[in-house]
Amino acid sequence: MAPGAIRVLGIDPGLTHTGWGLIESAGSHLRYIAAGAISTLAGDELAHRLVLIHNGLARIIQEWTPDEAAIEHTYVNKNPAAALKLGQARGVALLVPALAGLPVAEYQAMEVKRAVVGTGHADKIQVQDMVKRLLPGAVLKRADAADALAIAICHAHHRGTRSMLAKLMQA
């Protein structure tokens, strides 16, 4: 790992597929580390699916040792039952890194798109294309993993900006 670099775990919560992406951030330099998705079966009991998400994220954190985590806010779904289930998956996705002692930041989808593409109204293809450009060598097997990497990139950019502002305020 580069001097002064941190590892950021991005999480795109979902009940069927929870995407995750890990990057290394050193100043304005970003490096792809790993990405994937934790998948559950729709026919399984909700509690079992949540345990799978929990255990998968805990394993990823133990294996890759990120320094910080970032997660996307969920948008309001038209289907209340689906929104509640997604909220439960998101709760697990927030809880696991917090239990591991990681700081957890949250970002709106439009904020992630604006940080990665430059516009909050970018579509998924534009986000994936920019993730590939910003993280050469990134393996994007699922859209969920690409979204998670975008969340990690967003956090790295925001983190860098906050760090620069703090330095300016001290000067």
Side-chain angles (χ1 to χ4, degrees):
M1 198 153 82
I6 64 149
R7 283 189 170 186
V8 177
L9 175 64
I11 303 171
D12 181 32
L15 189 55
T16 304
H17 304 287
T18 291
W20 64 274
L22 190 73
I23 65 169
E24 185 178 284
S25 172
S28 62
H29 180 74
L30 302 175
R31 185 171 72 93
Y32 169 77
I33 304 292
I38 301 159
S39 298
T40 69
L41 298 174
D44 286 352
E45 290 183 14
L46 177 61
H48 176 70
R49 295 171 79 183
L50 295 174
V51 167
L52 290 175
I53 295 167
H54 174 280
N55 291 347
L57 287 173
R59 181 180 33 79
I60 291 159
I61 289 170
Q62 183 177 8
E63 179 179 349
W64 295 102
T65 60
D67 300 298
E68 298 180 7
I71 188 167
E72 187 173 83
H73 277 287
T74 53
Y75 58 90
V76 178
N77 196 314
K78 292 179 183 177
N79 178 339
L84 284 171
K85 288 179 183 177
L86 179 58
Q88 290 167 330
R90 186 173 181 280
V92 169
L94 281 165
L95 177 67
V96 174
L99 285 173
L102 302 179
V104 182
E106 300 176 68
Y107 299 97
Q108 296 290 340
M110 286 183 70
E111 193 173 8
V112 172
K113 292 174 182 180
R114 195 169 27 256
V116 174
V117 179
T119 176
H121 298 289
D123 63 30
K124 284 198 173 283
I125 301 299
Q126 290 173 304
V127 172
Q128 289 175 16
D129 286 345
M130 281 306 295
V131 166
K132 289 177 189 174
R133 289 180 189 191
L134 292 169
L135 301 172
V139 179
L140 306 177
K141 294 180 182 175
R142 295 197 50 86
D144 311 286
D147 290 346
L149 286 167
I151 295 161
I153 292 167
C154 175
H155 180 66
H157 289 327
H158 279 79
R159 186 180 191 283
T161 301
R162 282 193 301 271
S163 176
M164 277 193 275
L165 287 173
K167 287 177 186 176
L168 289 173
M169 297 300 275
Q170 291 176 354

